Amino acid sequence: MATTSFEEQFDKRLAQDQTIEPKDWMPDNYRKTLIRQISQHAHSEVVGMLPEGNWVTRAPSLRRKAVLLAKIQDEGGHGLYLYSAAETLGVTRDELYDQLHTGKAKYSSIFNYPSLTWADMGAIGWLVDGAAIMNQVPLCRTSYGPYARAMVRVCKEESFHQRQGFEIMNTLAKGTEIQKKMAQDALNRWWWPSLMMFGPHDADSPNTEQSVKWRIKRMTNDELRQKFIDVTVEQTKVLGLEVPDKDLKWNAERGHYDVGPINWDEFKNVVAGNGPCNKERLDARRKAWDEGKWVRDAAMAYATKRKARANQATQAA
Ligand SMILES: [Fe+2]
Ligand SMILES: [Fe+2]
């Protein structure tokens, strides 16, 4: 009888577009790549709550405040689904938090920029959540089952985030001269970092090829970035604002917009920890961890007590 090796079975499942589940055999590097990608994604969700949290108390109306709060809570929820998905790969929540707090793990560099005005709440929802959707929709079909399923729900919520951001931008852009200026200024500051969210160009992204082969990634960085640019430039026209790129032009031959060069030195610098808010963001996460210690201790003490009580009850029976 012919036997198939674990690796052959794994390859066969990928070829048939079946998902890989936690108990299935998988290559070590597949597991490692996923732990890195899913945990980076989870960290980005929770760190991403910080720039917007900055505006909850200053939202211009009760409606805006309620919507912004709901959006930020969604991001916390996304972090939780994703940490759970990462845990199915054999890493613990404590290890993941530790990697974030010690600076060993990365999160999306866009959250190291400050949110200076209310218009930034518009630009973040519209551009940052918009870029996140472009990245995440193909991940609903990623090969690792728990990650793919988490993404389905996350994507539904992200579309609401993108629309609430666009609505803020639209209100400001159609408002007074000062409001319009504020919207344009936010677009100017968030445009380039949003394009950087898709990561380095394919030629400079050594992990892309393997990730596409494993069907962890379904589209390359440049393909996703181009899709984002094509959609967003049209939306900018609807807003009556201007994309801050003098080289931006429609390329009829390619059927896509061409953009000017992205400043990768800035990207590398922010990723290396030198962005305007890196320190502030990590300090905030560490502080939340330290201040939450009593809650974790209380929950553990309660769990131990309950277990002891349940044991006593079984012994008595
Ligand atoms: Fe999210
Ligand atoms: Fe979001």
Side-chain angles (χ1 to χ4, degrees):
M1 204 173 80
T3 54
T4 47
S5 71
F6 286 138
E7 189 147 15
E8 277 171 293
Q9 281 179 36
F10 174 83
D11 289 342
K12 205 171 140 201
R13 291 188 82 120
L14 286 187
Q16 293 174 343
D17 229 350
Q18 286 176 12
T19 56
I20 307 298
E21 297 298 330
K23 287 191 176 131
D24 293 339
W25 181 91
M26 59 188 87
D28 270 353
N29 271 336
Y30 176 87
R31 187 185 297 275
K32 270 191 210 143
T33 303
L34 274 169
I35 291 177
R36 198 191 60 228
Q37 184 175 330
I38 300 174
S39 64
Q40 267 185 20
H41 192 164
H43 299 324
S44 303
E45 299 285 353
V46 292
V47 177
M49 297 167 81
L50 297 168
E52 291 177 307
N54 184 33
W55 279 92
V56 171
T57 55
R58 289 174 289 165
S61 70
L62 183 59
R63 174 176 172 269
R64 293 287 186 208
K65 192 193 286 272
V67 170
L68 185 62
L69 255 181
K71 194 257 188 207
I72 297 170
Q73 282 179 340
D74 282 355
E75 307 298 9
H78 298 172
L80 295 180
Y81 309 149
L82 289 162
Y83 283 125
S84 299
E87 282 176 309
T88 64
L89 290 156
V91 65
T92 67
R93 189 82 59 112
D94 281 359
E95 284 173 272
L96 296 174
Y97 286 144
D98 190 63
Q99 289 168 2
L100 174 67
H101 297 150
T102 55
K104 208 181 136 210
K106 300 281 178 234
Y107 53 85
S108 183
S109 67
I110 193 129
F111 300 119
N112 291 315
Y113 290 87
S115 50
L116 302 178
T117 71
W118 171 252
D120 288 25
M121 296 306 96
I124 290 176
W126 171 41
L127 298 174
V128 178
D129 290 86
I133 295 172
M134 288 289 172
N135 262 323
Q136 290 169 11
V137 166
L139 290 177
C140 296
R141 296 183 301 121
T142 193
S143 60
Y144 188 57
Y147 192 24
R149 290 188 288 273
M151 278 303 113
V152 173
R153 176 147 176 199
V154 167
C155 282
K156 285 186 185 150
E157 294 177 347
E158 293 301 351
S159 347
F160 151 67
H161 299 171
Q162 194 270 352
R163 288 171 72 152
Q164 66 89 34
F166 188 81
E167 198 218 353
I168 293 174
M169 287 303 269
N170 199 35
T171 307
L172 292 173
K174 307 273 153 69
T176 64
E177 251 334 284
I178 293 174
Q179 284 175 317
K180 188 171 176 185
K181 254 196 186 145
M182 213 162 97
Q184 181 64 54
D185 167 66
L187 169 56
N188 293 349
R189 284 180 292 106
W190 291 95
W191 173 257
W192 291 104
S194 299
L195 299 193
M196 294 174 196
M197 276 178 77
F198 296 93
H201 289 306
D202 296 348
D204 307 316
S205 175
N207 297 327
T208 293
E209 202 190 322
Q210 182 62 66
S211 283
V212 170
K213 224 171 107 196
W214 276 333
R215 297 185 190 266
I216 292 175
K217 260 184 149 162
R218 313 283 317 218
M219 286 172 86
T220 70
N221 296 353
D222 284 330
E223 286 168 346
L224 291 166
R225 181 167 22 239
Q226 185 69 62
K227 234 178 133 188
F228 175 77
I229 291 165
D230 291 345
V231 170
T232 314
V233 168
E234 295 304 322
Q235 291 170 342
T236 309
K237 288 184 196 163
V238 174
L239 292 173
L241 298 176
E242 250 173 76
V243 174
D245 179 358
K246 59 178 175 24
D247 297 321
L248 178 82
K249 58 172 184 304
W250 176 251
N251 182 328
E253 211 174 291
R254 291 201 311 122
H256 293 293
Y257 280 101
D258 289 336
V259 292
I262 294 172
N263 183 350
W264 292 112
D265 288 340
E266 177 186 325
F267 177 74
K268 282 180 203 146
N269 194 40
V270 178
V271 171
N274 307 316
C277 300
N278 295 58
K279 192 182 171 310
E280 193 183 324
R281 301 294 183 236
L282 267 190
D283 284 350
R285 288 312 314 160
R286 289 194 199 110
K287 186 167 170 262
W289 175 254
D290 292 342
E291 289 180 355
K293 186 178 181 303
W294 70 271
V295 180
R296 295 192 298 278
D297 289 349
M300 289 306 284
Y302 179 64
T304 316
K305 231 188 211 170
R306 260 181 68 157
K307 209 171 161 192
R309 249 187 242 138
N311 280 345
Q312 268 175 15
T314 11
Q315 274 164 19

